[in-house]
Amino acid sequence: EVQLVESGGGLVQAGGSLRLSCAASGYGFTFEDYSIGWFRQVPGKERERVSCISPYDNSKFYAESAKGRFTISSDNAKNTVYLQMDRLKPEDTAVYYCGAVMASFLSDIELWDYWGKGTQVTVSS
């Protein structure tokens, strides 16, 4: 069982920045065996994939909406993945979730195995 805990959400004005953290843990858990992803969801819409990283080889994925503004990184010593979000827009407002899967960056969200409880990001105009 893998536990994921997100933090770092909050209220920010458009154009501002936030850094989200996802701390992973679990009995027998090996951080480098998993892909870690950031997803977001607004009420009434499906959860969407924002960015993913492989702590093993540092390969990364960014959704088009995140390219050029968001940066994903991992600190393998801390079993933590970060999402630096810059030049935030009101349309970035959502609950941001951290997910983990023992596979590559799966586009099918239903296949991701573990989820955190989410952290709210609100961007005011």
Side-chain angles (χ1 to χ4, degrees):
E1 187 74 18
V2 177
Q3 290 82 46
L4 303 172
V5 179
E6 303 97 335
S7 61
L11 173 64
V12 64
Q13 289 188 331
S17 299
L18 283 174
R19 189 177 81 154
L20 306 183
S21 299
C22 172
S25 63
Y27 180 77
F29 169 72
T30 302
F31 191 56
E32 290 81 358
D33 286 345
Y34 289 80
S35 293
I36 307 295
W38 283 101
F39 303 77
R40 65 188 183 188
Q41 189 170 22
V42 297
K45 292 191 176 181
E46 293 185 352
R47 190 171 298 187
E48 66 171 340
R49 189 176 51 160
V50 176
S51 184
C52 307
I53 190 168
S54 166
Y56 174 72
D57 62 8
N58 206 38
S59 56
K60 302 171 184 179
F61 164 84
Y62 293 99
E64 285 299 320
S65 59
K67 287 181 180 178
R69 299 188 302 125
F70 295 0
T71 303
I72 194 168
S73 62
S74 69
D75 184 334
N76 292 10
K78 296 182 178 180
N79 286 0
T80 300
V81 169
Y82 303 98
L83 185 68
Q84 177 67 41
M85 304 189 294
D86 298 318
R87 302 198 302 279
L88 282 161
K89 305 174 182 179
E91 50 264 44
D92 294 317
T93 296
V95 177
Y96 282 71
Y97 296 91
C98 178
V101 65
M102 193 180 281
S104 187
F105 306 149
L106 301 177
S107 59
D108 186 345
I109 291 174
E110 297 298 323
L111 298 179
W112 286 69
D113 295 317
Y114 303 101
W115 295 95
K117 294 183 178 181
T119 185
Q120 176 70 47
V121 170
T122 303
V123 184
S124 63
S125 57

Coordinates of all heavy atoms in Angstrom, one line a residue, residues 29-104:
F29 N 7.8 0.2 0.1 CA 7.6 1.0 -1.0 C 9.0 1.5 -1.5 O 9.8 2.0 -0.7 CB 6.8 2.2 -0.6 CG 6.8 3.4 -1.6 CD1 6.1 3.2 -2.8 CD2 7.4 4.6 -1.3 CE1 6.0 4.3 -3.7 CE2 7.4 5.6 -2.2 CZ 6.7 5.5 -3.4
T30 N 9.2 1.4 -2.8 CA 10.4 1.9 -3.5 C 10.1 3.0 -4.4 O 9.4 2.7 -5.5 CB 11.2 0.7 -4.2 OG1 11.5 -0.3 -3.2 CG2 12.5 1.3 -4.8
F31 N 10.4 4.2 -4.1 CA 10.0 5.3 -4.9 C 10.3 5.2 -6.4 O 9.5 5.5 -7.2 CB 10.7 6.6 -4.2 CG 10.2 7.9 -4.7 CD1 8.9 8.3 -4.6 CD2 11.1 8.8 -5.2 CE1 8.5 9.5 -5.0 CE2 10.7 10.1 -5.6 CZ 9.4 10.4 -5.5
E32 N 11.5 4.7 -6.7 CA 11.9 4.7 -8.1 C 11.2 3.6 -8.9 O 11.3 3.6 -10.1 CB 13.4 4.4 -8.1 CG 14.3 5.6 -7.6 CD 14.4 5.6 -6.1 OE1 13.8 4.8 -5.4 OE2 15.2 6.5 -5.6
D33 N 10.4 2.8 -8.3 CA 9.6 1.8 -9.0 C 8.3 2.4 -9.6 O 7.6 1.7 -10.4 CB 9.2 0.6 -8.1 CG 10.4 -0.3 -7.8 OD1 11.4 -0.2 -8.5 OD2 10.3 -1.1 -6.8
Y34 N 8.0 3.6 -9.2 CA 6.7 4.2 -9.6 C 6.8 5.4 -10.5 O 7.8 6.1 -10.4 CB 5.9 4.6 -8.3 CG 5.4 3.4 -7.5 CD1 6.3 2.7 -6.7 CD2 4.1 3.0 -7.7 CE1 5.8 1.6 -6.0 CE2 3.6 1.9 -6.9 CZ 4.5 1.2 -6.1 OH 4.0 0.1 -5.4
S35 N 5.8 5.6 -11.3 CA 5.6 6.9 -11.9 C 4.7 7.7 -11.0 O 3.8 7.2 -10.4 CB 5.0 6.8 -13.3 OG 5.8 6.2 -14.2
I36 N 5.0 9.0 -10.8 CA 4.2 9.9 -10.0 C 3.6 11.0 -10.8 O 4.4 11.6 -11.6 CB 5.1 10.5 -8.8 CG1 5.8 9.5 -8.0 CG2 4.2 11.4 -7.9 CD1 4.9 8.5 -7.2
G37 N 2.4 11.2 -10.7 CA 1.7 12.2 -11.5 C 0.9 13.2 -10.8 O 0.4 12.9 -9.6
W38 N 0.8 14.4 -11.3 CA -0.1 15.4 -10.8 C -1.3 15.5 -11.7 O -1.2 15.5 -13.0 CB 0.6 16.7 -10.7 CG 1.5 16.9 -9.6 CD1 2.8 16.8 -9.6 CD2 1.1 17.1 -8.2 NE1 3.3 16.9 -8.3 CE2 2.3 17.1 -7.4 CE3 -0.1 17.3 -7.6 CZ2 2.2 17.4 -6.1 CZ3 -0.2 17.6 -6.2 CH2 1.0 17.6 -5.5
F39 N -2.5 15.5 -11.1 CA -3.8 15.6 -11.9 C -4.6 16.7 -11.2 O -4.4 17.1 -10.1 CB -4.5 14.3 -11.7 CG -3.7 13.1 -12.2 CD1 -2.7 12.5 -11.5 CD2 -4.0 12.5 -13.4 CE1 -2.0 11.4 -11.9 CE2 -3.3 11.4 -13.9 CZ -2.3 10.9 -13.1
R40 N -5.6 17.2 -12.0 CA -6.5 18.1 -11.4 C -7.9 17.9 -11.8 O -8.2 17.3 -12.8 CB -6.1 19.6 -11.8 CG -6.2 19.9 -13.2 CD -5.5 21.2 -13.5 NE -5.7 21.7 -14.9 CZ -5.1 22.7 -15.4 NH1 -4.3 23.5 -14.7 NH2 -5.3 23.0 -16.7
Q41 N -8.8 18.4 -11.0 CA -10.2 18.1 -11.2 C -11.1 19.3 -10.7 O -10.8 19.8 -9.6 CB -10.7 16.8 -10.6 CG -12.1 16.4 -11.0 CD -12.4 15.0 -10.5 OE1 -11.8 14.5 -9.5 NE2 -13.3 14.3 -11.1
V42 N -12.0 19.7 -11.6 CA -13.0 20.7 -11.1 C -14.3 20.1 -11.1 O -14.6 19.1 -11.8 CB -13.0 21.9 -12.1 CG1 -11.6 22.6 -12.1 CG2 -13.4 21.5 -13.5
P43 N -15.2 20.6 -10.3 CA -16.6 19.9 -10.1 C -17.3 19.8 -11.5 O -17.3 20.7 -12.3 CB -17.3 20.9 -9.2 CG -16.3 21.6 -8.4 CD -15.1 21.7 -9.4
G44 N -17.8 18.6 -11.7 CA -18.5 18.4 -12.9 C -17.7 17.9 -14.1 O -18.2 17.7 -15.2
K45 N -16.4 17.9 -13.9 CA -15.5 17.5 -15.0 C -14.6 16.3 -14.6 O -14.5 16.1 -13.4 CB -14.6 18.7 -15.4 CG -15.4 19.8 -16.1 CD -14.4 20.8 -16.7 CE -15.2 21.9 -17.5 NZ -14.2 22.9 -18.1
E46 N -14.1 15.7 -15.6 CA -13.2 14.5 -15.4 C -11.9 15.0 -14.9 O -11.4 16.1 -15.2 CB -13.0 13.7 -16.6 CG -14.3 13.0 -17.1 CD -14.1 12.1 -18.3 OE1 -12.9 12.1 -18.8 OE2 -15.0 11.4 -18.7
R47 N -11.3 14.1 -14.1 CA -9.9 14.4 -13.6 C -9.0 14.4 -14.8 O -9.1 13.5 -15.7 CB -9.5 13.4 -12.6 CG -8.2 13.7 -11.9 CD -8.0 12.7 -10.7 NE -9.1 12.8 -9.7 CZ -9.0 12.2 -8.5 NH1 -8.0 11.4 -8.2 NH2 -10.1 12.3 -7.7
E48 N -8.1 15.3 -14.9 CA -7.2 15.4 -16.1 C -5.7 15.3 -15.6 O -5.4 15.8 -14.5 CB -7.4 16.7 -16.9 CG -7.1 18.0 -16.2 CD -7.1 19.2 -17.1 OE1 -7.0 19.0 -18.3 OE2 -7.2 20.3 -16.6
R49 N -4.9 14.7 -16.4 CA -3.5 14.6 -16.2 C -2.8 15.9 -16.5 O -3.0 16.4 -17.6 CB -2.9 13.4 -17.0 CG -1.6 13.0 -16.7 CD -1.2 11.8 -17.5 NE -1.4 11.9 -19.0 CZ -0.8 11.2 -19.9 NH1 0.0 10.3 -19.6 NH2 -1.1 11.5 -21.2
V50 N -2.0 16.3 -15.6 CA -1.3 17.6 -15.7 C 0.2 17.4 -16.0 O 0.8 17.9 -17.0 CB -1.4 18.5 -14.5 CG1 -0.6 19.8 -14.6 CG2 -2.9 18.8 -14.2
S51 N 0.9 16.5 -15.2 CA 2.3 16.3 -15.4 C 2.7 15.0 -14.6 O 2.1 14.7 -13.6 CB 3.1 17.5 -14.8 OG 4.5 17.3 -15.1
C52 N 3.7 14.3 -15.2 CA 4.1 13.1 -14.6 C 5.7 13.1 -14.6 O 6.3 13.7 -15.4 CB 3.6 11.9 -15.3 SG 1.9 11.8 -15.6
I53 N 6.2 12.3 -13.7 CA 7.7 12.1 -13.6 C 8.0 10.7 -13.2 O 7.3 10.0 -12.5 CB 8.3 13.1 -12.7 CG1 9.8 13.1 -12.8 CG2 7.9 12.8 -11.2 CD1 10.5 14.3 -12.1
S54 N 9.1 10.2 -13.8 CA 9.7 8.9 -13.3 C 10.9 9.2 -12.4 O 11.9 9.7 -13.0 CB 10.1 8.1 -14.5 OG 10.9 7.0 -14.1
P55 N 10.8 9.0 -11.1 CA 11.9 9.2 -10.3 C 13.1 8.3 -10.7 O 14.3 8.7 -10.3 CB 11.4 8.8 -8.9 CG 9.9 9.0 -9.0 CD 9.6 8.6 -10.4
Y56 N 12.9 7.3 -11.4 CA 14.0 6.4 -11.8 C 14.9 7.0 -12.8 O 16.1 7.0 -12.7 CB 13.4 5.1 -12.3 CG 14.4 4.2 -12.9 CD1 15.3 3.5 -12.1 CD2 14.6 4.0 -14.3 CE1 16.3 2.6 -12.6 CE2 15.5 3.1 -14.8 CZ 16.4 2.4 -14.0 OH 17.3 1.6 -14.5
D57 N 14.3 7.6 -13.9 CA 15.2 8.2 -14.9 C 14.9 9.6 -15.2 O 15.5 10.2 -16.2 CB 15.0 7.4 -16.2 CG 13.6 7.4 -16.8 OD1 12.8 8.2 -16.3 OD2 13.3 6.7 -17.8
N58 N 14.1 10.2 -14.4 CA 13.8 11.7 -14.5 C 13.0 12.0 -15.8 O 13.0 13.2 -16.1 CB 15.0 12.5 -14.3 CG 14.7 13.9 -13.8 OD1 13.9 14.1 -13.0 ND2 15.4 14.9 -14.3
S59 N 12.5 11.1 -16.5 CA 11.7 11.4 -17.6 C 10.4 12.1 -17.2 O 9.9 11.8 -16.1 CB 11.4 10.2 -18.5 OG 10.7 9.2 -17.7
K60 N 9.9 12.9 -18.0 CA 8.7 13.8 -17.6 C 7.7 13.9 -18.7 O 8.0 13.7 -19.9 CB 9.2 15.2 -17.3 CG 10.2 15.2 -16.2 CD 10.9 16.6 -16.0 CE 12.0 16.5 -14.9 NZ 12.6 17.8 -14.7
F61 N 6.5 14.2 -18.3 CA 5.4 14.4 -19.2 C 4.7 15.7 -18.8 O 4.5 15.9 -17.5 CB 4.4 13.3 -19.2 CG 3.0 13.7 -19.8 CD1 2.8 13.6 -21.2 CD2 2.0 14.1 -19.0 CE1 1.6 14.0 -21.7 CE2 0.8 14.5 -19.5 CZ 0.6 14.4 -20.9
Y62 N 4.3 16.5 -19.7 CA 3.5 17.7 -19.4 C 2.3 17.8 -20.4 O 2.4 17.6 -21.6 CB 4.3 19.0 -19.6 CG 5.4 19.2 -18.6 CD1 6.7 18.9 -19.0 CD2 5.1 19.7 -17.3 CE1 7.7 19.1 -18.0 CE2 6.2 19.9 -16.4 CZ 7.5 19.6 -16.8 OH 8.5 19.7 -15.9
A63 N 1.1 18.0 -19.8 CA 0.0 18.3 -20.7 C 0.2 19.7 -21.4 O 1.0 20.5 -20.9 CB -1.3 18.4 -19.8
E64 N -0.5 19.9 -22.5 CA -0.3 21.1 -23.2 C -0.6 22.3 -22.3 O 0.1 23.4 -22.4 CB -1.3 21.2 -24.4 CG -0.8 20.3 -25.6 CD 0.6 20.7 -26.1 OE1 0.8 21.9 -26.2 OE2 1.4 19.8 -26.4
S65 N -1.6 22.2 -21.4 CA -1.9 23.3 -20.6 C -0.8 23.7 -19.6 O -0.8 24.8 -19.0 CB -3.2 23.0 -19.8 OG -3.1 21.8 -19.0
A66 N 0.1 22.7 -19.3 CA 1.1 22.9 -18.3 C 2.5 23.3 -18.9 O 3.3 23.9 -18.2 CB 1.3 21.7 -17.5
K67 N 2.7 23.1 -20.2 CA 3.9 23.3 -20.8 C 4.3 24.8 -20.8 O 3.5 25.7 -21.1 CB 3.9 22.8 -22.3 CG 3.9 21.3 -22.5 CD 3.9 20.9 -23.9 CE 3.9 19.4 -24.1 NZ 3.8 19.0 -25.5
G68 N 5.6 25.0 -20.4 CA 6.1 26.4 -20.3 C 5.7 27.1 -19.0 O 6.3 28.2 -18.8
R69 N 4.8 26.6 -18.2 CA 4.4 27.3 -17.0 C 4.7 26.4 -15.7 O 5.0 26.9 -14.7 CB 2.9 27.6 -17.0 CG 2.6 28.6 -18.1 CD 1.1 29.1 -18.0 NE 0.2 28.0 -18.0 CZ -0.7 27.8 -17.1 NH1 -0.8 28.6 -16.0 NH2 -1.6 26.7 -17.2
F70 N 4.5 25.1 -15.9 CA 4.7 24.2 -14.7 C 6.0 23.4 -14.9 O 6.4 23.0 -16.0 CB 3.5 23.2 -14.6 CG 2.2 23.9 -14.4 CD1 2.0 25.2 -14.2 CD2 1.0 23.0 -14.3 CE1 0.8 25.8 -13.9 CE2 -0.2 23.6 -14.0 CZ -0.3 25.0 -13.8
T71 N 6.6 23.1 -13.7 CA 7.8 22.3 -13.7 C 7.7 21.2 -12.7 O 7.4 21.5 -11.5 CB 9.0 23.1 -13.4 OG1 9.1 24.2 -14.4 CG2 10.3 22.3 -13.5
I72 N 7.8 19.9 -13.1 CA 7.8 18.8 -12.2 C 9.2 18.4 -11.8 O 10.1 18.4 -12.7 CB 6.9 17.7 -12.7 CG1 6.6 16.7 -11.7 CG2 7.6 17.0 -13.9 CD1 5.5 15.6 -12.1
S73 N 9.4 18.0 -10.6 CA 10.7 17.5 -10.2 C 10.5 16.5 -9.0 O 9.4 16.4 -8.4 CB 11.6 18.7 -9.7 OG 11.0 19.3 -8.6
S74 N 11.6 15.8 -8.7 CA 11.5 14.8 -7.7 C 12.7 14.9 -6.8 O 13.8 15.1 -7.3 CB 11.3 13.4 -8.2 OG 12.5 12.9 -8.8
D75 N 12.6 14.7 -5.5 CA 13.7 14.5 -4.6 C 13.6 13.1 -4.1 O 12.8 12.8 -3.2 CB 13.5 15.5 -3.4 CG 14.7 15.5 -2.5 OD1 15.4 14.5 -2.4 OD2 14.9 16.5 -1.8
N76 N 14.4 12.3 -4.7 CA 14.4 10.8 -4.4 C 14.8 10.5 -2.9 O 14.3 9.5 -2.3 CB 15.2 10.0 -5.3 CG 14.7 10.1 -6.7 OD1 13.7 10.8 -7.1 ND2 15.2 9.3 -7.6
A77 N 15.6 11.4 -2.3 CA 16.0 11.1 -1.0 C 14.8 11.4 0.0 O 14.8 10.8 1.1 CB 17.2 12.1 -0.6
K78 N 13.9 12.2 -0.4 CA 12.7 12.5 0.4 C 11.4 11.8 -0.1 O 10.4 12.0 0.5 CB 12.5 14.0 0.4 CG 13.6 14.8 1.1 CD 13.3 16.3 1.1 CE 14.4 17.1 1.8 NZ 14.1 18.5 1.8
N79 N 11.5 11.0 -1.1 CA 10.4 10.4 -1.7 C 9.3 11.4 -2.0 O 8.1 11.2 -1.7 CB 9.8 9.3 -0.8 CG 10.7 8.0 -0.8 OD1 11.7 8.0 -1.5 ND2 10.3 7.1 0.0
T80 N 9.6 12.5 -2.5 CA 8.7 13.6 -2.7 C 8.8 14.2 -4.2 O 9.9 14.3 -4.7 CB 9.0 14.8 -1.7 OG1 8.9 14.3 -0.4 CG2 8.1 15.9 -1.9
V81 N 7.7 14.4 -4.7 CA 7.6 15.1 -6.1 C 7.0 16.4 -5.9 O 6.0 16.6 -5.1 CB 6.7 14.2 -7.0 CG1 6.4 14.9 -8.3 CG2 7.4 12.9 -7.3
Y82 N 7.5 17.4 -6.6 CA 7.1 18.8 -6.6 C 6.5 19.2 -7.9 O 6.9 18.7 -9.0 CB 8.2 19.7 -6.2 CG 8.9 19.3 -5.0 CD1 10.1 18.6 -5.0 CD2 8.4 19.7 -3.7 CE1 10.7 18.3 -3.8 CE2 9.0 19.4 -2.6 CZ 10.2 18.7 -2.6 OH 10.8 18.3 -1.4
L83 N 5.5 20.1 -7.9 CA 5.0 20.7 -9.1 C 5.1 22.2 -8.8 O 4.3 22.8 -8.1 CB 3.6 20.3 -9.3 CG 3.0 20.8 -10.7 CD1 3.7 20.2 -11.9 CD2 1.5 20.6 -10.8
Q84 N 6.0 22.8 -9.5 CA 6.2 24.3 -9.5 C 5.2 24.9 -10.5 O 5.4 24.6 -11.7 CB 7.6 24.7 -9.7 CG 7.8 26.2 -9.8 CD 7.6 26.9 -8.4 OE1 8.0 26.4 -7.4 NE2 7.0 28.1 -8.5
M85 N 4.3 25.7 -10.1 CA 3.3 26.3 -11.0 C 3.5 27.8 -11.1 O 3.4 28.5 -10.1 CB 1.9 25.9 -10.6 CG 1.7 24.5 -10.4 SD -0.1 24.0 -10.1 CE -0.3 24.8 -8.5
D86 N 3.9 28.3 -12.2 CA 4.2 29.7 -12.4 C 3.2 30.3 -13.4 O 2.5 29.6 -14.2 CB 5.6 29.9 -12.9 CG 6.6 29.5 -12.0 OD1 6.5 29.7 -10.8 OD2 7.6 28.8 -12.4
R87 N 3.0 31.6 -13.4 CA 2.1 32.3 -14.3 C 0.7 31.7 -14.3 O 0.1 31.4 -15.3 CB 2.7 32.3 -15.7 CG 4.1 33.0 -15.8 CD 4.4 33.4 -17.2 NE 4.4 32.3 -18.1 CZ 5.4 31.5 -18.3 NH1 6.5 31.5 -17.5 NH2 5.4 30.5 -19.2
L88 N 0.2 31.5 -13.1 CA -1.0 30.8 -12.9 C -2.2 31.6 -13.5 O -2.2 32.9 -13.5 CB -1.3 30.5 -11.4 CG -0.5 29.3 -10.9 CD1 -0.4 29.4 -9.4 CD2 -1.1 28.0 -11.3
K89 N -3.2 30.9 -14.0 CA -4.4 31.5 -14.6 C -5.6 31.0 -13.8 O -5.6 30.0 -13.2 CB -4.5 31.0 -16.0 CG -3.3 31.2 -16.9 CD -3.4 30.6 -18.3 CE -2.2 30.8 -19.1 NZ -2.4 30.2 -20.5
P90 N -6.7 31.8 -13.9 CA -7.9 31.4 -13.2 C -8.4 30.0 -13.6 O -8.9 29.3 -12.8 CB -8.9 32.5 -13.6 CG -8.1 33.7 -13.8 CD -6.8 33.2 -14.4
E91 N -8.1 29.6 -14.9 CA -8.5 28.3 -15.3 C -7.7 27.2 -14.8 O -8.0 26.0 -15.0 CB -8.5 28.2 -16.9 CG -7.2 28.7 -17.5 CD -7.3 30.1 -18.0 OE1 -7.8 31.0 -17.2 OE2 -6.8 30.4 -19.1
D92 N -6.6 27.5 -14.0 CA -5.9 26.5 -13.3 C -6.6 26.1 -12.0 O -6.1 25.2 -11.3 CB -4.5 27.0 -13.0 CG -3.6 27.1 -14.3 OD1 -3.7 26.3 -15.2 OD2 -2.9 28.2 -14.4
T93 N -7.6 26.8 -11.6 CA -8.3 26.6 -10.4 C -8.9 25.1 -10.4 O -9.6 24.8 -11.3 CB -9.4 27.6 -10.1 OG1 -8.8 28.9 -10.0 CG2 -10.2 27.2 -8.9
A94 N -8.5 24.4 -9.4 CA -9.0 23.0 -9.3 C -8.5 22.3 -8.0 O -7.6 22.9 -7.3 CB -8.4 22.2 -10.5
V95 N -8.9 21.1 -7.7 CA -8.3 20.3 -6.7 C -7.2 19.5 -7.4 O -7.5 18.9 -8.4 CB -9.3 19.4 -6.0 CG1 -8.5 18.5 -5.0 CG2 -10.4 20.2 -5.3
Y96 N -6.0 19.6 -6.9 CA -4.9 18.9 -7.5 C -4.6 17.6 -6.7 O -4.4 17.7 -5.5 CB -3.6 19.8 -7.5 CG -3.7 20.9 -8.6 CD1 -4.6 21.9 -8.6 CD2 -2.9 20.8 -9.8 CE1 -4.7 22.8 -9.6 CE2 -3.0 21.7 -10.8 CZ -3.9 22.7 -10.7 OH -4.0 23.6 -11.7
Y97 N -4.5 16.6 -7.4 CA -4.2 15.2 -6.8 C -2.9 14.7 -7.3 O -2.5 14.9 -8.4 CB -5.3 14.3 -7.2 CG -6.7 14.6 -6.8 CD1 -7.6 15.4 -7.5 CD2 -7.2 14.1 -5.5 CE1 -8.8 15.7 -7.1 CE2 -8.4 14.4 -5.1 CZ -9.3 15.2 -5.9 OH -10.5 15.5 -5.4
C98 N -2.3 13.9 -6.4 CA -1.1 13.2 -6.7 C -1.5 11.7 -6.9 O -2.3 11.2 -6.1 CB -0.1 13.4 -5.6 SG 1.4 12.5 -5.7
G99 N -0.9 11.1 -7.9 CA -1.2 9.7 -8.2 C 0.1 8.9 -8.4 O 1.1 9.5 -8.8
A100 N 0.0 7.6 -8.2 CA 1.2 6.8 -8.4 C 0.8 5.5 -9.1 O -0.3 5.0 -8.8 CB 1.9 6.5 -7.1
V101 N 1.7 5.0 -10.0 CA 1.4 3.8 -10.7 C 2.7 3.1 -10.9 O 3.7 3.8 -11.2 CB 0.6 4.0 -12.0 CG1 1.4 4.8 -12.9 CG2 0.2 2.7 -12.6
M102 N 2.8 1.8 -10.8 CA 4.0 1.0 -11.1 C 4.0 0.7 -12.6 O 3.9 -0.4 -13.0 CB 4.1 -0.2 -10.3 CG 5.4 -0.9 -10.3 SD 5.5 -2.4 -9.3 CE 5.6 -1.7 -7.7
A103 N 4.1 1.8 -13.4 CA 4.1 1.7 -14.8 C 4.5 3.0 -15.4 O 4.8 4.0 -14.6 CB 2.7 1.3 -15.4
S104 N 4.5 3.2 -16.7 CA 4.9 4.4 -17.3 C 3.7 5.4 -17.2 O 2.7 5.2 -16.5 CB 5.2 4.2 -18.8 OG 5.7 5.4 -19.4

